[in-house]
Amino acid sequence: MFENVIEAMVDAVLVVDVEGRINLNNTAAASITGYAADELRAMTIGTLLVDDSDGMRTVVRRRIQDGSVVRRESSWLVTKGGERIPVSVTGSPVLSPTGDLQGIVLVARDVRDVRRLLQEKEAEIAARKAAEAEVRLAKASIEEQLDQTRASLLLAERRATLGTLAGGVGHELRNIAQIQVAAVDELSAAIAANEDVTLLARQIIPDLERVGEHITAHGQRLMQLARPGPDRVDALDLNTVARDVVDMLRGAGKLRHVTVTTKLADGPLTITVNRTRIEQILVNLVINAVDAIGDRDGKITIEVHPSSDQTRVVCVVRDNGSGIAPEQIDRIFQPFFTTKPEDKGTGLGLPVAREIVQSYGGNLIVESRIGVGTSFTFDLPR
Ligand SMILES: Nc1ncnc2c1ncn2[C@@H]1O[C@H](COP(=O)(O)OP(=O)(O)OP(=O)(O)O)[C@@H](O)[C@H]1O
Ligand SMILES: [Mg+2]
């Protein structure tokens, strides 16, 4: 019965006596070690089962002596050919009916497959870890590159913004300087013709004062590009501002042959804004309208009225000029978009105007039909 059981086992089974001599073995023990059964019977366990320090012999002997159990000790089974096979050894004592130790049953399990599997798994884990490390490294370098790209984009964007803002200020300076040049020309011509210039001077001086105010404000704005600060604001009546701007442009000959009509509200419509900024919006819109009319006889209407809910002031600048092509209308507010010759347009008038309106919480919108005309409408909080 006992022999049948050990024979059926795939592990090597060796039964040793108290001296360590092998008394019994199964076929698996013979085939793993390469020894025939009778060869095994002539051997002691110490020559067959060794560990690195050769301590197995001692372990087995000691265990045999104190009759204790050996549990899964790692050691080597030495084959007939001298090969060392890694095994895990379990041993249990064989006791006589009176309780005396008669020997020990050793079961040695070949762990090569398990080890190989373990090694394969370990290699797999190591490979995965290496791949993960590589991915982490690649990710870190991509993130670093992204950070750099982001930083340089930000810088480029800031430069472009500064460029556009500076361009916008330059654009306004040029507009206003033209008004001054026209006024001074007119005055010089009158003096050259020995005319009495008192009346003319009385008309022109307020314009020149306004030009001076604009130049000061634009200078301040250029300085603010480096260190932004708030604009000075005043409570102004948009009716008055619109009338003054038309007078100033007319005085400077900017309106040419165009008829400009103002349709103003009955009472004052007060907005709290920076005067120069609001004048800039109107100057840009009116000059664009004059350009759109060109050499034809044309008409510009400037309308100022309260919004229907009375909370805002609305201003419309309408012309019967060329109109804007549908494929261009989405682009007119982009900085530097212009359909005018290089020496005439920079494409900054509308973006500047829209930026000012939006900075006060309003909006600037356009409606246009080619060949019929265009209207620009902006609103500002009262
Ligand atoms: N009232 C208008 N009628 C027809 N087209 C207009 C009108 N206002 C603007 N546009 C179109 O929008 C474009 C952009 O206008 P914007 O004022 O921004 O620049 P610009 O007038 O071309 O140049 P500048 O920088 O001198 O103002 C113009 O070139 C023109 O094609
Ligand atoms: Mg313009």
Side-chain angles (χ1 to χ4, degrees):
M1 172 64 184
F2 179 60
E3 276 89 347
N4 284 345
V5 172
I6 67 168
E7 193 52 35
M9 290 175 70
V10 287
D11 298 329
V13 181
L14 300 152
V15 183
V16 297
D17 65 15
V18 287
E19 302 298 330
R21 278 189 301 264
I22 297 167
N23 280 343
L24 192 69
N25 69 281
N26 65 353
T27 309
S31 62
I32 293 172
T33 58
Y35 287 112
D38 55 341
E39 285 176 309
L40 284 172
R41 304 281 159 85
M43 296 169 73
T44 55
I45 192 68
T47 51
L48 195 65
L49 212 52
V50 297
D51 66 10
D52 286 338
S53 59
D54 226 16
M56 198 59 194
R57 201 181 319 192
T58 332
V59 171
V60 173
R61 186 173 305 129
R62 208 180 52 238
R63 296 290 167 86
I64 289 167
Q65 276 162 3
D66 57 19
S68 60
V69 177
V70 179
R71 272 191 216 286
R72 281 190 222 104
E73 304 275 353
S74 293
S75 67
W76 307 93
L77 202 55
V78 186
T79 67
K80 196 175 178 180
E83 193 195 343
R84 286 166 147 233
I85 295 169
V87 286
S88 156
V89 181
T90 302
S92 35
V94 181
L95 302 173
S96 70
T98 53
D100 294 330
L101 179 72
Q102 288 189 320
I104 188 161
V105 181
L106 291 164
V107 180
R109 168 162 297 174
D110 183 347
V111 292
R112 278 175 301 184
D113 280 352
V114 177
R115 287 240 177 120
R116 199 169 37 248
L117 264 175
L118 210 71
Q119 274 165 5
E120 276 171 15
K121 275 279 167 257
E122 274 170 0
E124 207 176 283
I125 288 168
R128 194 174 304 153
K129 275 192 181 150
E132 276 170 10
E134 220 167 275
V135 167
R136 254 200 309 279
L137 220 69
K139 214 173 127 196
S141 103
I142 288 172
E143 262 164 20
E144 197 179 312
Q145 281 172 14
L146 255 177
D147 277 352
Q148 278 173 7
T149 312
R150 243 180 246 131
S152 52
L153 257 179
L154 221 74
L155 199 70
E157 203 179 77
R158 193 168 151 64
R159 281 206 191 113
T161 311
L162 277 180
T164 310
L165 289 174
V169 175
H171 174 265
E172 301 311 300
L173 279 174
R174 192 197 58 183
N175 271 352
I176 212 75
Q178 283 170 359
I179 290 170
Q180 182 190 337
V181 169
V184 172
D185 277 354
E186 207 181 338
L187 205 57
S188 310
I191 290 169
N194 275 324
E195 285 171 21
D196 177 6
V197 292
T198 319
L199 194 67
L200 188 62
R202 215 171 269 143
Q203 279 172 5
I204 283 175
I205 282 168
D207 284 353
L208 289 181
E209 270 170 4
R210 187 145 307 131
V211 168
E213 276 168 26
H214 270 248
I215 290 172
T216 310
H218 291 314
Q220 243 156 23
R221 202 143 291 126
L222 273 181
M223 273 152 51
Q224 280 176 358
L225 290 185
R227 204 185 309 141
D231 271 341
R232 180 206 142 119
V233 291
D234 291 304
L236 304 170
D237 173 17
L238 191 57
N239 293 308
T240 319
V241 177
R243 198 182 301 118
D244 288 352
V245 166
V246 174
D247 288 347
M248 181 171 74
L249 290 173
R250 185 175 287 124
K254 284 278 163 193
L255 301 181
R256 295 189 272 177
H257 50 276
V258 178
T259 314
V260 179
T261 318
T262 45
K263 286 190 186 165
L264 305 177
D266 296 336
L269 287 174
T270 310
I271 46 177
T272 306
V273 288
N274 177 277
R275 183 178 190 108
T276 308
R277 305 283 269 166
I278 295 310
E279 287 175 349
Q280 271 177 274
I281 304 171
L282 287 164
V283 167
N284 279 320
L285 296 181
V286 173
I287 290 179
N288 277 350
V290 173
D291 287 346
I293 289 167
D295 293 330
R296 284 163 292 172
D297 281 335
K299 223 179 111 183
I300 297 173
T301 315
I302 301 174
E303 210 179 291
V304 179
H305 60 80
S307 62
S308 50
D309 66 358
Q310 306 291 318
T311 62
R312 308 177 80 79
V313 179
V314 181
C315 179
V316 188
V317 178
R318 186 176 290 120
D319 66 66
N320 61 353
S322 59
I324 303 168
E327 65 271 19
Q328 284 174 352
I329 206 144
D330 289 337
R331 304 176 58 200
I332 58 170
F333 291 104
Q334 288 171 6
F336 306 110
F337 174 80
T338 181
T339 54
K340 296 173 191 173
E342 214 173 282
D343 57 334
K344 196 135 192 299
T346 56
L348 284 171
L350 287 179
V352 163
R354 177 173 265 186
E355 198 272 321
I356 296 169
V357 174
Q358 287 178 344
S359 77
Y360 288 120
N363 215 344
L364 171 63
I365 56 167
V366 60
E367 268 176 87
S368 186
R369 277 180 64 195
I370 205 107
V372 177
T374 305
S375 69
F376 283 91
T377 306
F378 65 91
D379 64 312
L380 297 167
R382 283 176 90 174

